[in-house]
Amino acid sequence: MIVLPAPSKGLFTHFISGDVVSLTGSGVFDSNDAGNDKTVTFSRNDLTLVGMDSINYLLQPIFETGTTTADIFEKISHWVVLQ
């Protein structure tokens, strides 16, 4: 069993090359406003390891929350008037 340390900037390390493991989950943006490099906070309880080799990995128990950054793009609406 490999215990993954807390993520650094949302990235986990210590995976064995060739192993099929993905991380799924959700987080919360610091605001709803569009922008780049917005802080996203996530909880260990909101994350799940999936994939063929995920049974060999465990998220570090002391890891409670983490942060990463992501972009929110403005919604662009196009209205088409049919006549």
Side-chain angles (χ1 to χ4, degrees):
M1 181 72 55
I2 297 171
V3 178
L4 299 174
S8 171
K9 294 194 180 242
L11 300 175
F12 285 90
T13 58
H14 296 80
F15 289 102
I16 294 175
S17 179
D19 275 5
V20 178
V21 182
S22 296
L23 183 70
T24 65
S26 61
V28 178
F29 279 96
D30 59 354
S31 75
N32 294 331
D33 301 325
N36 296 327
D37 295 324
K38 298 182 67 61
T39 300
V40 179
T41 302
F42 53 90
S43 164
R44 180 180 179 273
N45 295 331
D46 297 329
L47 304 175
T48 303
L49 292 170
V50 295
M52 203 166 62
D53 300 303
S54 63
I55 196 165
N56 298 324
Y57 294 85
L58 190 65
L59 292 175
Q60 189 173 25
I62 62 168
F63 158 57
E64 291 299 324
T65 61
T67 60
T68 189
T69 58
D71 301 333
I72 297 178
F73 299 100
E74 289 185 43
K75 182 177 180 180
I76 299 173
S77 297
H78 296 285
W79 292 88
V80 177
V81 177
L82 299 175
Q83 297 180 348

